[in-house]
């Protein structure tokens, strides 16, 4: 990794957050001749240690290719044209390509996407300041916004034309928008996902989303030799109480018998519990500050939309900024409205998939029968399958 670039006192677009949103935006703008600086709170190793998403929509794949950061994905990524939904002992394969006129998804981990974007930024000499502490944003609703931050005990100031808040759910950007301007919408689910990563061959060559009396489970993967599994867990669970053996036993109990019987188990590389929430911020712009990705919205991972929504935000924002510097600000003026239109559709799908496939004890026997009926309808209706498929592969930008 090259020595960190010195931080300039001025740039065109200041980006807060060096996750996939911030890195992708920085790369796309730099390739269009627009200067950026990325301020990232954590070290690069810390950012790259996160295990998160695993499924990319075609829109994200296209953006990574446009960003010149897709070579390893195209070599190592797995193109999937189908996905399975299991309900108790029943299994239903959705032929995504047949149901959507040829569309597919790419199975390639977010960790790899982020590493590829870091490599692409390094190759272009991108300015990324790691361990930038106490980032604060100033005059975002004026004509001369700027940011301050601390590093190695010194306070720095960067003037800019625009600020992109790509700093995730717990970032500073959304908090910079005045409370009387911001409107938020939230639904917190009464359970989480306990996830494991292990170097064992996947149990199935496509993902399986499973609804079982014991709860939800997901069989996913990172490659033909590395698997990613999740089971629904209560919010009181502590990951340290889950040995590998206990996880593998619980996973098998959440799956159809013929799937459980093929499970290959092994030592975990990573285990973690993620809470599930639906969250949206309106608007996604305030003056010269634009929110993108998890800084603006969160979806439960059941629909594989989190990272993919960040991608469509970055598509709208990068094209709006590029057009602005070429004299047309229409894209920036319409950014929030265009991004939110797609965000809310993905929020709906992610909420529907979560409600369909997780156990909600408080909904009782009637609720369980509604979930069974949802599955039976899906199994019997090509229209229902096409609706799930078109949302899963990703609605148009
Ligand atoms: P990120 O949160 O990835 O990145 C924000 C960056 O900003 C971070 O590097 C952070 O360190 C930095 N930052 C924060 N505050 C800052 C500050 N004040 N100053 C400077 N930098 C700051 N999505 C899926 O599709 N499938 C999944 O299975 C899935 N699993 C997930 C599991 C977990 C535990 C989490 C938290 C999310 C998961 N997601 C999943 C969603 C996830 O993939 C996000 O959608 C994706 O990381 C969005 O990328 P960013 O918008 O870049 O936000
Ligand atoms: C993953 O592989 O981590 C993954 C895949 C699909 C999802 C959620 C997570 O919906």
């Amino acid at each position: 990794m090259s020595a960190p670039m010195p931080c300039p006192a001025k740039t065109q677009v200041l980006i807060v957050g060096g996750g996939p949103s911030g890195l992708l935006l920085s790369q796309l703008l730099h390739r269009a001749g627009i200067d950026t600086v990325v301020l990232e709170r954590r070290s690069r190793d810390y950012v790259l240690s996160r295990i998160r998403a695993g499924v990319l929509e075609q829109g994200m794949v296209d953006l990574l290719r446009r960003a010149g950061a897709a070579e390893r994905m195209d070599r190592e990524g797995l193109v999937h044209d189908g996905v399975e939904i299991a309900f108790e002992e029943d299994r239903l394969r959705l032929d995504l390509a047949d149901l959507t006129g040829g569309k597919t998804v790419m199975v390639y981990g977010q960790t790899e996407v982020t590493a590829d974007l870091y490599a692409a930024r390094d190759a272009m000499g991108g300015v990324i300041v790691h361990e930038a502490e106490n980032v604060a944003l100033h005059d975002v609703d004026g004509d001369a916004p700027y940011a301050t931050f601390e590093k190695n005990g010194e306070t720095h100031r960067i003037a800019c034309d625009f600020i992109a808040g790509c700093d995730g759910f717990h970032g500073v950007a959304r908090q910079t928008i005045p409370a009387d301007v911001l409107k938020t919408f939230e639904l917190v689910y009464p359970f989480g996902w306990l996830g494991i990563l292990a170097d064992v061959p996947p149990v199935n060559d496509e993902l399986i989303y499973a609804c079982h009396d014991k709860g939800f489970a997901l069989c996913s993967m990172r490659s033909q030799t590395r698997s990613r599994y999740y089971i629904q867990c209560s919010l009181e669970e502590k990951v340290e109480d889950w040995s590998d053996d206990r996880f593998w036993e619980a996973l098998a109990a959440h799956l159809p018998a013929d799937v459980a019987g093929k499970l290959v188990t092994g030592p975990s590389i990573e285990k973690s519990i993620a809470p599930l929430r639906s969250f949206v911020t309106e608007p996604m712009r305030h003056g010269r500050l634009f929110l993108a990705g998890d800084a603006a919205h969160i979806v439960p991972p059941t629909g594989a939309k989190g990272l993919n929504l960040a991608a469509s935000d970055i598509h709208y924002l990068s094209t709006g900024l590029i057009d602005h510097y070429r004299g047309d600000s229409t894209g920036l003026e319409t950014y929030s409205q265009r991004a939110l239109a797609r965000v809310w559709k993905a929020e709906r799908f992610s909420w529907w998939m979560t409600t369909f496939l997780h156990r909600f004890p408080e909904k009782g026997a009637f609720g369980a029968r509604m979930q069974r009926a949802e599955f039976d309808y899906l199994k019997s209706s090509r229209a229902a399958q096409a609706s799930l498929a078109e949302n899963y592969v990703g609605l148009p930008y």
Side-chain angles (χ1 to χ4, degrees):
M1 184 176 76
S2 54
M5 302 287 287
C7 183
K10 169 117 177 54
T11 190
Q12 288 176 291
V13 180
L14 179 82
I15 299 169
V16 190
S21 294
L23 294 170
L24 181 57
L25 179 62
S26 172
Q27 182 69 1
L28 290 168
L29 293 180
H30 196 167
R31 285 169 67 95
I34 297 167
D35 291 335
T36 66
V37 170
V38 175
L39 298 180
E40 166 54 50
R41 175 165 62 180
R42 300 287 190 173
S43 70
R44 183 176 291 199
D45 287 348
Y46 185 96
V47 174
L48 291 174
S49 69
R50 291 186 187 122
I51 309 291
R52 287 187 176 167
V55 170
L56 309 183
E57 295 173 355
Q58 189 61 46
M60 171 58 117
V61 169
D62 294 343
L63 276 174
L64 289 169
R65 288 174 180 155
R66 200 186 313 159
E71 190 266 333
R72 189 162 69 108
M73 176 193 70
D74 283 328
R75 195 173 63 246
E76 298 176 7
L78 304 173
V79 176
H80 280 202
D81 60 8
V83 67
E84 278 200 35
I85 309 286
F87 201 92
E88 301 294 348
E89 291 303 315
D90 279 344
R91 296 173 66 180
L92 170 65
R93 179 180 185 268
L94 298 185
D95 186 334
L96 297 173
D98 175 51
L99 290 162
T100 63
K103 291 182 181 173
T104 59
V105 292
M106 173 78 80
V107 172
Y108 188 68
Q110 175 175 326
T111 310
E112 310 320 316
V113 169
T114 308
D116 296 344
L117 284 167
Y118 269 120
R121 296 306 297 128
D122 290 347
M124 287 190 75
V127 180
I128 302 172
V129 180
H130 281 283
E131 294 167 321
E133 295 175 327
N134 301 320
V135 171
L137 308 178
H138 309 272
D139 296 347
V140 298
D141 53 356
D143 287 335
Y146 66 95
T148 53
F149 69 96
E150 290 156 23
K151 183 161 171 79
N152 302 329
E154 280 183 50
T155 299
H156 300 262
R157 173 184 168 128
I158 305 181
C160 54
D161 298 334
F162 300 101
I163 298 175
C166 300
D167 50 352
F169 184 66
H170 301 289
V172 66
R174 188 175 70 248
Q175 298 169 37
T176 304
I177 299 178
D180 61 347
V181 171
L182 205 63
K183 199 168 180 183
T184 60
F185 305 80
E186 185 168 36
L187 173 64
V188 178
Y189 297 87
F191 41 71
W193 279 16
L194 167 59
I196 198 170
L197 188 69
D199 278 336
V200 293
V203 71
N204 195 49
D205 57 6
E206 292 173 333
L207 273 68
I208 302 176
Y209 290 80
C211 178
H212 191 279
D213 187 45
K214 294 189 183 312
F216 170 82
L218 171 58
C219 303
S220 184
M221 63 199 76
R222 291 293 179 268
S223 69
Q224 305 294 10
T225 59
R226 178 166 287 192
S227 298
R228 178 72 167 161
Y229 292 105
Y230 298 93
I231 55 172
Q232 175 179 345
C233 69
S234 88
L235 292 172
E236 286 67 52
E237 288 294 347
K238 300 274 180 289
V239 68
E240 52 268 23
D241 295 339
W242 283 84
S243 68
D244 289 358
D245 289 348
R246 184 184 177 198
F247 179 89
W248 292 121
E249 198 178 318
L251 174 66
H254 282 65
L255 296 171
D258 62 334
V259 177
K262 291 188 292 180
L263 263 181
V264 178
T265 65
S268 61
I269 302 168
E270 189 264 2
K271 250 183 310 203
S272 56
I273 293 178
L276 270 61
R277 80 176 74 237
S278 301
F279 177 86
V280 179
T281 303
E282 290 184 358
M284 288 173 56
R285 171 191 186 177
H286 180 59
R288 290 174 172 262
L289 170 63
F290 296 84
L291 302 181
D294 278 18
H297 41 71
I298 297 286
V299 284
T302 327
K305 292 295 156 232
L307 180 59
N308 293 300
L309 265 185
S312 47
D313 290 350
I314 296 306
H315 166 73
Y316 299 133
L317 185 52
S318 61
T319 50
L321 286 163
I322 291 165
D323 289 349
H324 167 80
Y325 283 108
R326 291 176 181 164
D328 175 4
S329 297
T330 313
L332 286 187
E333 297 310 320
T334 58
Y335 166 72
S336 180
Q337 170 213 341
R338 289 176 72 199
L340 282 167
R342 191 171 191 273
V343 163
W344 277 113
K345 293 190 189 101
E347 289 282 347
R348 182 208 67 82
F349 176 67
S350 306
W351 162 83
W352 177 81
M353 281 284 277
T354 303
T355 307
F356 170 26
L357 295 171
H358 289 72
R359 276 294 177 237
F360 291 75
E362 71 279 10
K363 291 189 177 177
F366 183 81
R369 281 290 186 276
M370 285 295 97
Q371 290 175 303
R372 175 82 241 185
E374 195 75 63
F375 179 80
D376 291 343
Y377 171 55
L378 187 65
K379 200 166 182 176
S380 66
S381 163
R382 181 178 170 84
Q385 293 174 24
S387 172
L388 193 159
E390 73 167 353
N391 280 279
Y392 192 77
V393 300
L395 296 178
Y397 281 12

